[in-house]
Amino acid sequence: EIRDDLAIRAKYEQLDIADDALAHPAEIAISTSLRYAIQLLTPASIPVETTGKTQLQIADIESVNELFMHGSASARLLSSTT
């Protein structure tokens, strides 16, 4: 079901995403949230477009996932520094 939601969003964003790459944000959604996983798709597509690649791959999604934090991780980080 999560994978289907991600596929619908990718289609809406007109993203060509590899089948195995679609499974990766689904796994991220299970450990974080569907909203966070969906929000990774658009920034992950930017390097794909600028480098002339044809499909969004796992590495593209993972590189964006390393740059951003989901809400609960961000809250934990903030609470541990105070």
Side-chain angles (χ1 to χ4, degrees):
E1 186 176 310
I2 291 172
R3 187 180 171 134
D4 293 340
D5 291 342
L6 289 162
I8 290 167
R9 184 60 182 205
K11 184 177 180 180
Y12 177 78
E13 296 282 337
Q14 298 177 352
L15 303 176
D16 186 10
I17 184 167
D19 287 337
D20 60 336
L22 194 57
H24 189 61
E27 292 170 10
I28 293 170
I30 291 168
S31 63
T32 60
S33 70
L34 179 59
R35 176 179 286 186
Y36 175 75
I38 286 173
Q39 290 175 335
L40 291 176
L41 295 177
T42 301
S45 71
I46 294 169
V48 173
E49 293 172 5
T50 59
T51 59
K53 294 181 188 176
T54 58
Q55 275 192 328
L56 191 63
Q57 301 292 329
I58 291 174
D60 302 312
I61 295 167
E62 191 54 39
S63 66
V64 172
N65 188 33
E66 291 173 1
L67 293 174
F68 298 103
M69 278 188 205
H70 57 90
S72 58
S74 179
R76 277 194 308 271
L77 178 66
L78 287 174
S79 68
S80 70
T81 59
T82 58

